[in-house]
Amino acid sequence: MIRPITRATTRLLLLLGFAMLSWQAQASLNGKPVVLIHGFQYQQLGTQPTDASLQAEAIDYWQEYWLQRSEVVLYWSASERISQGISDQIKRQVKTLADNGTCQSGCVLLTHSTGDLVARQMLRNLNGWLWEWGYPSNRVTFLVSLDMAGAGGGTELADLAVSVIDSDNLFAGAATSVVNWFLGTNVGPNELGVVRDLQPAVARSLATQNNAVPRLRFVGSGDAFLRASKPFILGYDDSVVPLHSACGSVRQENLESCSASIKTNGELDAVAKSPTGLRYNNFPVLMGNSTDHFEVIGSATSGDYAPVINNFTVGGLGVDFAIDQYWSWWHWDTLRLVRNGSDKSLSANVFDTLNQ
């Protein structure tokens, strides 16, 4: 959700010109173009960034792993609301997709964090936009969405941020410190933009309306920021997004896994706090017990990965992870994990398996 800029502006501007020439060689997943939608970028709050700067930041957001495996990078501003300015920004870019015929034979969406909500808004309006432009409904087709740490159900950190900012920072101590980290900047009540959409109640009102495209969900429950954010999030989380959001649960609830029968560390055992139900067409696929919010889209290894569902095909992609199941004396339980999964990042495991 939060992705700080780590490279100089000059490099980003050079990257803008270079990217269109360079990333096309591997710009597909099993032969299907990949369209990326990034997550929350706190540095945009309270600003009016240009399209050029938004595009540069979006490209930099994905450069660690997915950029060279994508066809299109969509961009949006965190200073806007999803149903207002963000929807307008995405609409202009979808018009380019329609004009170019990029997704006429079907594209794969790949989102991170808040990008999940942005994608739902886009999919909700897609047919209406195509009709407005005089295109048939199959002119832009998305076969499946791969949601990495998807914030389709929001995050309690947004509730905390709104409470602190709207109360003029009357909260003290750890709560204010976490909000300052989450927002990364001093903003006023009228400058919270997409943070207001990330409140679970608001996010869920957006997310429940757009379920036509199958969504494969990849989640983490690892630690970042010295676990400072975890006391403010309901249930297990990746330090930013709770499992109830990332798994695709039908409600905001305290979860310990996306499954009732396998824990995030791969133990085959009853899970006391599992989803009471999942949204239609939402399928949790992998859980990374040690994978935090940012590692889900990176290239660094972050431990083992436990499969929730496996051996099925959706949107022309075969979900067929090689699995090992064995007795662990250390856990004193049977484990089910992706074979040699810890040798690669979560994203690399996903790409290598689905790209067949």
Side-chain angles (χ1 to χ4, degrees), residues 257 261-269 287-289 304-307 324-326 331 333-338:
S257 172
S261 58
I262 183 168
K263 298 181 179 179
T264 58
N265 65 358
E267 291 183 29
L268 295 182
D269 206 346
M287 301 181 293
N289 188 56
D304 292 311
Y305 306 103
D324 283 331
Q325 184 167 313
Y326 58 93
H331 293 270
D333 211 336
T334 300
L335 298 186
R336 182 186 296 160
L337 298 167
V338 174

PDB file of all heavy atoms in Angstrom, residues 257 261-269 287-289 304-307 324-326 331 333-338:
ATOM      1  N   SER A 257      -6.008 -17.096   9.270  1.00  0.00           N
ATOM      2  CA  SER A 257      -5.646 -17.762   8.028  1.00  0.00           C
ATOM      3  C   SER A 257      -6.742 -17.497   7.000  1.00  0.00           C
ATOM      4  O   SER A 257      -7.865 -17.100   7.364  1.00  0.00           O
ATOM      5  CB  SER A 257      -5.490 -19.277   8.250  1.00  0.00           C
ATOM      6  OG  SER A 257      -5.307 -19.961   7.028  1.00  0.00           O
ATOM      7  N   SER A 261      -8.509 -24.993   7.360  1.00  0.00           N
ATOM      8  CA  SER A 261      -7.807 -26.250   7.594  1.00  0.00           C
ATOM      9  C   SER A 261      -6.294 -26.174   7.403  1.00  0.00           C
ATOM     10  O   SER A 261      -5.605 -27.178   7.578  1.00  0.00           O
ATOM     11  CB  SER A 261      -8.359 -27.341   6.664  1.00  0.00           C
ATOM     12  OG  SER A 261      -8.233 -26.948   5.312  1.00  0.00           O
ATOM     13  N   ILE A 262      -5.757 -25.011   7.036  1.00  0.00           N
ATOM     14  CA  ILE A 262      -4.308 -24.874   6.911  1.00  0.00           C
ATOM     15  C   ILE A 262      -3.886 -23.505   7.443  1.00  0.00           C
ATOM     16  O   ILE A 262      -4.496 -22.484   7.114  1.00  0.00           O
ATOM     17  CB  ILE A 262      -3.840 -25.070   5.451  1.00  0.00           C
ATOM     18  CG1 ILE A 262      -2.294 -24.987   5.372  1.00  0.00           C
ATOM     19  CG2 ILE A 262      -4.493 -24.091   4.501  1.00  0.00           C
ATOM     20  CD1 ILE A 262      -1.743 -25.461   4.044  1.00  0.00           C
ATOM     21  N   LYS A 263      -2.888 -23.489   8.306  1.00  0.00           N
ATOM     22  CA  LYS A 263      -2.412 -22.247   8.898  1.00  0.00           C
ATOM     23  C   LYS A 263      -1.480 -21.520   7.929  1.00  0.00           C
ATOM     24  O   LYS A 263      -1.023 -22.090   6.940  1.00  0.00           O
ATOM     25  CB  LYS A 263      -1.687 -22.544  10.216  1.00  0.00           C
ATOM     26  CG  LYS A 263      -2.586 -23.181  11.271  1.00  0.00           C
ATOM     27  CD  LYS A 263      -1.840 -23.428  12.573  1.00  0.00           C
ATOM     28  CE  LYS A 263      -2.751 -24.033  13.629  1.00  0.00           C
ATOM     29  NZ  LYS A 263      -2.033 -24.303  14.906  1.00  0.00           N
ATOM     30  N   THR A 264      -1.182 -20.276   8.225  1.00  0.00           N
ATOM     31  CA  THR A 264      -0.330 -19.489   7.325  1.00  0.00           C
ATOM     32  C   THR A 264       1.072 -20.078   7.199  1.00  0.00           C
ATOM     33  O   THR A 264       1.756 -19.846   6.203  1.00  0.00           O
ATOM     34  CB  THR A 264      -0.226 -18.024   7.799  1.00  0.00           C
ATOM     35  OG1 THR A 264       0.289 -17.988   9.138  1.00  0.00           O
ATOM     36  CG2 THR A 264      -1.583 -17.337   7.749  1.00  0.00           C
ATOM     37  N   ASN A 265       1.509 -20.858   8.196  1.00  0.00           N
ATOM     38  CA  ASN A 265       2.840 -21.484   8.124  1.00  0.00           C
ATOM     39  C   ASN A 265       2.802 -22.868   7.474  1.00  0.00           C
ATOM     40  O   ASN A 265       3.806 -23.567   7.447  1.00  0.00           O
ATOM     41  CB  ASN A 265       3.472 -21.570   9.510  1.00  0.00           C
ATOM     42  CG  ASN A 265       2.701 -22.492  10.456  1.00  0.00           C
ATOM     43  OD1 ASN A 265       1.660 -23.044  10.092  1.00  0.00           O
ATOM     44  ND2 ASN A 265       3.224 -22.656  11.669  1.00  0.00           N
ATOM     45  N   GLY A 266       1.627 -23.278   6.972  1.00  0.00           N
ATOM     46  CA  GLY A 266       1.517 -24.545   6.264  1.00  0.00           C
ATOM     47  C   GLY A 266       1.076 -25.717   7.119  1.00  0.00           C
ATOM     48  O   GLY A 266       0.928 -26.827   6.603  1.00  0.00           O
ATOM     49  N   GLU A 267       0.859 -25.538   8.408  1.00  0.00           N
ATOM     50  CA  GLU A 267       0.407 -26.631   9.259  1.00  0.00           C
ATOM     51  C   GLU A 267      -1.023 -27.034   8.891  1.00  0.00           C
ATOM     52  O   GLU A 267      -1.913 -26.178   8.790  1.00  0.00           O
ATOM     53  CB  GLU A 267       0.440 -26.221  10.731  1.00  0.00           C
ATOM     54  CG  GLU A 267       1.833 -26.040  11.307  1.00  0.00           C
ATOM     55  CD  GLU A 267       1.799 -25.704  12.789  1.00  0.00           C
ATOM     56  OE1 GLU A 267       0.842 -26.140  13.471  1.00  0.00           O
ATOM     57  OE2 GLU A 267       2.710 -25.004  13.259  1.00  0.00           O
ATOM     58  N   LEU A 268      -1.216 -28.341   8.694  1.00  0.00           N
ATOM     59  CA  LEU A 268      -2.554 -28.857   8.425  1.00  0.00           C
ATOM     60  C   LEU A 268      -3.250 -29.089   9.748  1.00  0.00           C
ATOM     61  O   LEU A 268      -3.043 -30.098  10.420  1.00  0.00           O
ATOM     62  CB  LEU A 268      -2.466 -30.158   7.620  1.00  0.00           C
ATOM     63  CG  LEU A 268      -1.878 -30.035   6.211  1.00  0.00           C
ATOM     64  CD1 LEU A 268      -1.904 -31.389   5.512  1.00  0.00           C
ATOM     65  CD2 LEU A 268      -2.642 -29.007   5.393  1.00  0.00           C
ATOM     66  N   ASP A 269      -4.074 -28.150  10.114  1.00  0.00           N
ATOM     67  CA  ASP A 269      -4.736 -28.209  11.417  1.00  0.00           C
ATOM     68  C   ASP A 269      -5.954 -27.292  11.368  1.00  0.00           C
ATOM     69  O   ASP A 269      -6.036 -26.398  10.520  1.00  0.00           O
ATOM     70  CB  ASP A 269      -3.778 -27.737  12.517  1.00  0.00           C
ATOM     71  CG  ASP A 269      -4.106 -28.340  13.873  1.00  0.00           C
ATOM     72  OD1 ASP A 269      -5.214 -28.890  14.014  1.00  0.00           O
ATOM     73  OD2 ASP A 269      -3.253 -28.260  14.784  1.00  0.00           O
ATOM     74  N   MET A 287      -0.323 -18.263   0.888  1.00  0.00           N
ATOM     75  CA  MET A 287      -0.077 -17.454   2.076  1.00  0.00           C
ATOM     76  C   MET A 287       1.411 -17.519   2.421  1.00  0.00           C
ATOM     77  O   MET A 287       1.982 -18.609   2.486  1.00  0.00           O
ATOM     78  CB  MET A 287      -0.897 -17.971   3.264  1.00  0.00           C
ATOM     79  CG  MET A 287      -2.400 -17.976   3.043  1.00  0.00           C
ATOM     80  SD  MET A 287      -3.345 -18.555   4.486  1.00  0.00           S
ATOM     81  CE  MET A 287      -2.835 -20.295   4.543  1.00  0.00           C
ATOM     82  N   GLY A 288       1.998 -16.357   2.638  1.00  0.00           N
ATOM     83  CA  GLY A 288       3.387 -16.288   3.064  1.00  0.00           C
ATOM     84  C   GLY A 288       3.462 -15.904   4.528  1.00  0.00           C
ATOM     85  O   GLY A 288       3.231 -14.739   4.891  1.00  0.00           O
ATOM     86  N   ASN A 289       3.772 -16.850   5.383  1.00  0.00           N
ATOM     87  CA  ASN A 289       3.753 -16.611   6.819  1.00  0.00           C
ATOM     88  C   ASN A 289       4.745 -15.536   7.246  1.00  0.00           C
ATOM     89  O   ASN A 289       4.508 -14.797   8.199  1.00  0.00           O
ATOM     90  CB  ASN A 289       4.049 -17.917   7.559  1.00  0.00           C
ATOM     91  CG  ASN A 289       3.860 -17.791   9.062  1.00  0.00           C
ATOM     92  OD1 ASN A 289       2.795 -17.411   9.518  1.00  0.00           O
ATOM     93  ND2 ASN A 289       4.899 -18.108   9.828  1.00  0.00           N
ATOM     94  N   ASP A 304       8.707 -19.711   3.535  1.00  0.00           N
ATOM     95  CA  ASP A 304       7.877 -20.701   2.853  1.00  0.00           C
ATOM     96  C   ASP A 304       6.506 -20.127   2.509  1.00  0.00           C
ATOM     97  O   ASP A 304       6.089 -19.098   3.059  1.00  0.00           O
ATOM     98  CB  ASP A 304       7.700 -21.936   3.739  1.00  0.00           C
ATOM     99  CG  ASP A 304       8.998 -22.707   3.926  1.00  0.00           C
ATOM    100  OD1 ASP A 304       9.654 -22.985   2.919  1.00  0.00           O
ATOM    101  OD2 ASP A 304       9.337 -23.012   5.095  1.00  0.00           O
ATOM    102  N   TYR A 305       5.790 -20.853   1.611  1.00  0.00           N
ATOM    103  CA  TYR A 305       4.460 -20.424   1.180  1.00  0.00           C
ATOM    104  C   TYR A 305       3.495 -21.605   1.272  1.00  0.00           C
ATOM    105  O   TYR A 305       3.789 -22.699   0.785  1.00  0.00           O
ATOM    106  CB  TYR A 305       4.511 -19.882  -0.248  1.00  0.00           C
ATOM    107  CG  TYR A 305       5.538 -18.790  -0.392  1.00  0.00           C
ATOM    108  CD1 TYR A 305       6.772 -19.040  -0.989  1.00  0.00           C
ATOM    109  CD2 TYR A 305       5.297 -17.517   0.125  1.00  0.00           C
ATOM    110  CE1 TYR A 305       7.735 -18.048  -1.082  1.00  0.00           C
ATOM    111  CE2 TYR A 305       6.257 -16.515   0.042  1.00  0.00           C
ATOM    112  CZ  TYR A 305       7.470 -16.788  -0.568  1.00  0.00           C
ATOM    113  OH  TYR A 305       8.422 -15.814  -0.652  1.00  0.00           O
ATOM    114  N   ALA A 306       2.362 -21.337   1.890  1.00  0.00           N
ATOM    115  CA  ALA A 306       1.360 -22.382   2.076  1.00  0.00           C
ATOM    116  C   ALA A 306       0.236 -22.199   1.059  1.00  0.00           C
ATOM    117  O   ALA A 306      -0.334 -21.107   0.958  1.00  0.00           O
ATOM    118  CB  ALA A 306       0.784 -22.315   3.489  1.00  0.00           C
ATOM    119  N   PRO A 307      -0.096 -23.257   0.302  1.00  0.00           N
ATOM    120  CA  PRO A 307      -1.188 -23.155  -0.661  1.00  0.00           C
ATOM    121  C   PRO A 307      -2.548 -23.272   0.027  1.00  0.00           C
ATOM    122  O   PRO A 307      -2.729 -24.100   0.922  1.00  0.00           O
ATOM    123  CB  PRO A 307      -0.949 -24.351  -1.585  1.00  0.00           C
ATOM    124  CG  PRO A 307      -0.296 -25.361  -0.682  1.00  0.00           C
ATOM    125  CD  PRO A 307       0.540 -24.582   0.300  1.00  0.00           C
ATOM    126  N   ASP A 324       4.816 -30.059  -1.433  1.00  0.00           N
ATOM    127  CA  ASP A 324       5.363 -31.093  -0.558  1.00  0.00           C
ATOM    128  C   ASP A 324       4.508 -31.167   0.701  1.00  0.00           C
ATOM    129  O   ASP A 324       4.164 -30.135   1.290  1.00  0.00           O
ATOM    130  CB  ASP A 324       6.810 -30.776  -0.165  1.00  0.00           C
ATOM    131  CG  ASP A 324       7.795 -31.088  -1.269  1.00  0.00           C
ATOM    132  OD1 ASP A 324       7.518 -31.994  -2.072  1.00  0.00           O
ATOM    133  OD2 ASP A 324       8.841 -30.408  -1.346  1.00  0.00           O
ATOM    134  N   GLN A 325       4.168 -32.389   1.098  1.00  0.00           N
ATOM    135  CA  GLN A 325       3.433 -32.591   2.347  1.00  0.00           C
ATOM    136  C   GLN A 325       4.210 -33.593   3.188  1.00  0.00           C
ATOM    137  O   GLN A 325       4.519 -34.685   2.719  1.00  0.00           O
ATOM    138  CB  GLN A 325       2.016 -33.087   2.063  1.00  0.00           C
ATOM    139  CG  GLN A 325       1.161 -33.223   3.318  1.00  0.00           C
ATOM    140  CD  GLN A 325      -0.314 -33.399   3.007  1.00  0.00           C
ATOM    141  OE1 GLN A 325      -0.863 -32.667   2.198  1.00  0.00           O
ATOM    142  NE2 GLN A 325      -0.949 -34.387   3.637  1.00  0.00           N
ATOM    143  N   TYR A 326       4.538 -33.212   4.413  1.00  0.00           N
ATOM    144  CA  TYR A 326       5.408 -34.065   5.222  1.00  0.00           C
ATOM    145  C   TYR A 326       5.203 -33.767   6.707  1.00  0.00           C
ATOM    146  O   TYR A 326       4.683 -32.715   7.081  1.00  0.00           O
ATOM    147  CB  TYR A 326       6.869 -33.832   4.852  1.00  0.00           C
ATOM    148  CG  TYR A 326       7.333 -32.396   5.003  1.00  0.00           C
ATOM    149  CD1 TYR A 326       7.937 -31.954   6.173  1.00  0.00           C
ATOM    150  CD2 TYR A 326       7.145 -31.470   3.967  1.00  0.00           C
ATOM    151  CE1 TYR A 326       8.352 -30.648   6.318  1.00  0.00           C
ATOM    152  CE2 TYR A 326       7.558 -30.162   4.105  1.00  0.00           C
ATOM    153  CZ  TYR A 326       8.144 -29.753   5.285  1.00  0.00           C
ATOM    154  OH  TYR A 326       8.530 -28.443   5.430  1.00  0.00           O
ATOM    155  N   HIS A 331       7.429 -28.713  14.181  1.00  0.00           N
ATOM    156  CA  HIS A 331       6.078 -28.203  14.416  1.00  0.00           C
ATOM    157  C   HIS A 331       5.189 -29.242  15.102  1.00  0.00           C
ATOM    158  O   HIS A 331       4.110 -28.901  15.591  1.00  0.00           O
ATOM    159  CB  HIS A 331       5.427 -27.807  13.083  1.00  0.00           C
ATOM    160  CG  HIS A 331       6.067 -26.628  12.424  1.00  0.00           C
ATOM    161  ND1 HIS A 331       5.657 -25.337  12.661  1.00  0.00           N
ATOM    162  CD2 HIS A 331       7.093 -26.547  11.534  1.00  0.00           C
ATOM    163  CE1 HIS A 331       6.392 -24.501  11.948  1.00  0.00           C
ATOM    164  NE2 HIS A 331       7.266 -25.207  11.255  1.00  0.00           N
ATOM    165  N   ASP A 333       3.562 -31.519  13.565  1.00  0.00           N
ATOM    166  CA  ASP A 333       2.346 -31.468  12.769  1.00  0.00           C
ATOM    167  C   ASP A 333       2.721 -31.739  11.312  1.00  0.00           C
ATOM    168  O   ASP A 333       3.897 -31.717  10.943  1.00  0.00           O
ATOM    169  CB  ASP A 333       1.682 -30.093  12.874  1.00  0.00           C
ATOM    170  CG  ASP A 333       0.167 -30.173  12.740  1.00  0.00           C
ATOM    171  OD1 ASP A 333      -0.319 -31.153  12.135  1.00  0.00           O
ATOM    172  OD2 ASP A 333      -0.523 -29.271  13.231  1.00  0.00           O
ATOM    173  N   THR A 334       1.717 -32.014  10.486  1.00  0.00           N
ATOM    174  CA  THR A 334       1.954 -32.188   9.059  1.00  0.00           C
ATOM    175  C   THR A 334       1.942 -30.830   8.376  1.00  0.00           C
ATOM    176  O   THR A 334       1.044 -30.007   8.623  1.00  0.00           O
ATOM    177  CB  THR A 334       0.865 -33.085   8.441  1.00  0.00           C
ATOM    178  OG1 THR A 334       0.895 -34.355   9.083  1.00  0.00           O
ATOM    179  CG2 THR A 334       1.110 -33.273   6.944  1.00  0.00           C
ATOM    180  N   LEU A 335       2.938 -30.595   7.529  1.00  0.00           N
ATOM    181  CA  LEU A 335       3.044 -29.338   6.790  1.00  0.00           C
ATOM    182  C   LEU A 335       2.737 -29.571   5.318  1.00  0.00           C
ATOM    183  O   LEU A 335       3.083 -30.611   4.760  1.00  0.00           O
ATOM    184  CB  LEU A 335       4.448 -28.741   6.912  1.00  0.00           C
ATOM    185  CG  LEU A 335       4.954 -28.352   8.302  1.00  0.00           C
ATOM    186  CD1 LEU A 335       6.295 -27.639   8.180  1.00  0.00           C
ATOM    187  CD2 LEU A 335       3.949 -27.465   9.022  1.00  0.00           C
ATOM    188  N   ARG A 336       2.101 -28.597   4.689  1.00  0.00           N
ATOM    189  CA  ARG A 336       1.894 -28.597   3.245  1.00  0.00           C
ATOM    190  C   ARG A 336       2.403 -27.262   2.711  1.00  0.00           C
ATOM    191  O   ARG A 336       1.842 -26.214   3.038  1.00  0.00           O
ATOM    192  CB  ARG A 336       0.423 -28.782   2.879  1.00  0.00           C
ATOM    193  CG  ARG A 336       0.180 -28.826   1.361  1.00  0.00           C
ATOM    194  CD  ARG A 336      -1.310 -28.855   1.044  1.00  0.00           C
ATOM    195  NE  ARG A 336      -1.910 -30.078   1.555  1.00  0.00           N
ATOM    196  CZ  ARG A 336      -3.211 -30.226   1.778  1.00  0.00           C
ATOM    197  NH1 ARG A 336      -4.036 -29.208   1.579  1.00  0.00           N
ATOM    198  NH2 ARG A 336      -3.696 -31.373   2.218  1.00  0.00           N
ATOM    199  N   LEU A 337       3.469 -27.319   1.910  1.00  0.00           N
ATOM    200  CA  LEU A 337       4.130 -26.102   1.439  1.00  0.00           C
ATOM    201  C   LEU A 337       4.478 -26.221  -0.037  1.00  0.00           C
ATOM    202  O   LEU A 337       4.591 -27.325  -0.577  1.00  0.00           O
ATOM    203  CB  LEU A 337       5.414 -25.847   2.242  1.00  0.00           C
ATOM    204  CG  LEU A 337       5.250 -25.611   3.752  1.00  0.00           C
ATOM    205  CD1 LEU A 337       6.607 -25.702   4.450  1.00  0.00           C
ATOM    206  CD2 LEU A 337       4.590 -24.260   4.021  1.00  0.00           C
ATOM    207  N   VAL A 338       4.679 -25.077  -0.677  1.00  0.00           N
ATOM    208  CA  VAL A 338       5.159 -25.067  -2.055  1.00  0.00           C
ATOM    209  C   VAL A 338       6.571 -25.651  -2.083  1.00  0.00           C
ATOM    210  O   VAL A 338       7.435 -25.261  -1.292  1.00  0.00           O
ATOM    211  CB  VAL A 338       5.158 -23.637  -2.623  1.00  0.00           C
ATOM    212  CG1 VAL A 338       5.803 -23.606  -4.011  1.00  0.00           C
ATOM    213  CG2 VAL A 338       3.735 -23.090  -2.686  1.00  0.00           C
TER     214      VAL A 338
END
